[in-house]
Amino acid sequence: MSSGPLTLLAILGLAVPLGSQPAADGAVRDVIGRSSDFSTRLYRALASRSDDNVLLCTASVWRGLAALLGATGGATREELRTALGLAGLDPQNISDALSTITGTPAGGGALNLRQGTALFTEASAQASAQFAELLRRDYGGSVKSLAFDAPQDASEAINAWVRQQTGDRVQDAVTDVDPRTKWLLATAASYQGRFSQAFNASATADERFYVDRYHVATVPMMLRADKYFLAYDRSLRAGVLKLPMTDGAAALLVLPDEDVDIGALEEQVSSEKIRAWIRQLKKTKLEVQLPRFFLDRTYSLGDALRTLGVVQVFGDDADLSNAGGPEGAKVSQVLHKAVATMDESGPGDAAAAAAFSSPPPRLTFNRPFHFVVYHQTSGGLLLMGRLRDPTKK
C-alpha cells in the first residue's frame, strides 16, 4: 500500500532517529531502544485520555526532554533520566548517539525534513550562555527571550518562529500562552513523506468508514493492488500492514478485527510489540483500500508526562542550575503539535500498480486503526497515531 505526503510539527523537541549508519553499534542501538520504550509509554498515556483521533510525534518529545536533561541537576536530573530510561548513561553519550542516529539515511539522499529547536525564556529567567551553546551544538537549537506577560505577542512570536522553521507549512502552533510562563521548550518540524507505492487518484472513490457502531462517515478511499508486507497479531486480533516510504521510513497500519476496540488494542502497544510486528511481516498479493485523511492535533503534555514520572522539572523546586536557571525557574509549559496528511501523492517516478490475473484479497481500512511511522534501518520510532474519524482533524 502506498500513500502520500506526511507533514508533522512538534512543539517540545524533535528527535528523528534516522541512522546515518546501520544500528549495529551497541550504544546507538541501546539509545534507540530506550527512546522507543519511552515513546510507546507516552503514547499510551496520552491516547488513554482521548476517544478522538490521536497524532503524537513521540520521538520529538523524547528528544526535547533529552535536551532538557542538560539543563537539570540533582534530583531533578535523576528523575528525568529515570523517566526517559536513560539512567546509567552519560548525558554526553546520549547527545553523541542522537547526533549519530539523526544523520543522513542509509543509502544516501536527504530526509524530507525541516526542523528547529528553541527554548523560549522570560527575561528574568534567562538560560546561561553555556546551556545556549549546548542547545546549539548538540540539538541545533537556540535560546530566545520572550515577554510572556503579553500572551498575544508571545503567541505570535512563537508562531512566527514555527513558520520560519517549517517553511510556512504550519501556521498556528500556539494559540494561548500562560502569562506566568518562565520557560517554554519548543521544536517545530515539517516532514514530507512520500510512500514508495503511490495510489492512483483516479481509483479513489467515496466509501463508508465505520467510526463506531452508531456513526458511519463517507470518506475518499484510495485503492491500489500490489505486493505488500503483511502480518497478523493473533493475541491482539489485528492485521498489520507495512507501507514503505522513499526516504527510508515506513508506516505500520494496525487494523483490529471488527469486534476489537481500538482503545483496548492500544493499551497493549509497546516497543517490543512493534518489533514483533516487523519481524512477522511477510510479502503477499493484496488490494489495499485506505482513507485519505488529514490530522492536526495539539496537546499539553504535562499530565501525561507526570504519569511517567516527569514531575520535578515542572515544580517550584526544579533544579535547572546546569542551565543557569535563576531561583524559581521551571518549565512552565510543555506543548506538542502534530500535523499529518495522507493522500495519493508519491514519488515522481511512481511505478504502476501491479497487474494480477485475478483480483487479490482486499484489506480495507474502513474502521478505526492505529499507525506507527518508524525508520527502517535503525528501528527508531518517529510518530504514532490513531485514526478514529477521517472526517475530523
Side-chain angles (χ1 to χ4, degrees), residues 179-197:
R180 298 169 297 178
T181 297
K182 297 298 183 183
W183 281 17
L184 187 152
L185 181 65
T187 291
S190 175
Y191 178 60
Q192 189 79 18
R194 296 185 178 275
F195 290 98
S196 301
Q197 301 161 285

Side-chain angles (χ1 to χ4, degrees), residues 6 8 10 13-19 23 28-44 56-63 98 101-102 111 191 245 248-252 254 269-278 336 370-385:
L6 198 71
L8 63 93
L14 172 67
V16 184
L18 300 169
V28 173
R29 190 166 56 244
D30 185 32
V31 171
I32 292 172
R34 294 178 189 225
S35 70
S36 297
D37 289 341
F38 174 82
S39 294
T40 51
R41 287 190 290 117
L42 178 62
Y43 180 83
R44 292 196 304 268
L56 182 69
C57 183
T58 52
S60 74
V61 179
W62 190 86
R63 175 64 179 264
L98 285 168
I101 62 180
T102 55
L111 293 173
Y191 178 60
M245 291 189 278
L252 295 177
V254 186
V269 174
S270 66
S271 58
E272 293 180 0
K273 177 65 72 174
I274 293 171
R275 289 192 292 268
W277 289 338
I278 296 171
H336 181 78
H370 174 74
F371 62 89
V372 176
V373 177
Y374 71 101
H375 182 242
Q376 297 185 77
T377 300
S378 69
L381 301 183
L382 303 181
L383 67 143
M384 302 173 69

Side-chain angles (χ1 to χ4, degrees), residues 126-189:
Q126 283 291 314
S128 67
Q130 290 81 1
F131 180 72
E133 173 60 19
L134 172 72
L135 193 60
R136 183 199 65 78
R137 184 186 68 239
D138 294 343
Y139 300 95
S142 59
V143 176
K144 298 179 179 295
S145 180
L146 209 57
F148 287 105
D149 56 357
Q152 185 62 39
D153 291 342
S155 295
E156 291 177 358
I158 294 171
N159 288 330
W161 175 82
V162 169
R163 289 192 292 271
Q164 180 185 33
Q165 301 303 311
T166 63
D168 291 330
R169 290 194 177 102
V170 177
Q171 299 301 315
D172 297 317
V174 177
T175 58
D176 184 28
V177 174
D178 189 331
R180 298 169 297 178
T181 297
K182 297 298 183 183
W183 281 17
L184 187 152
L185 181 65
T187 291

Side-chain angles (χ1 to χ4, degrees), residues 65-79:
L65 292 174
L68 188 61
L69 188 62
T72 59
T76 303
R77 164 172 286 198
E78 291 310 308
E79 180 188 81

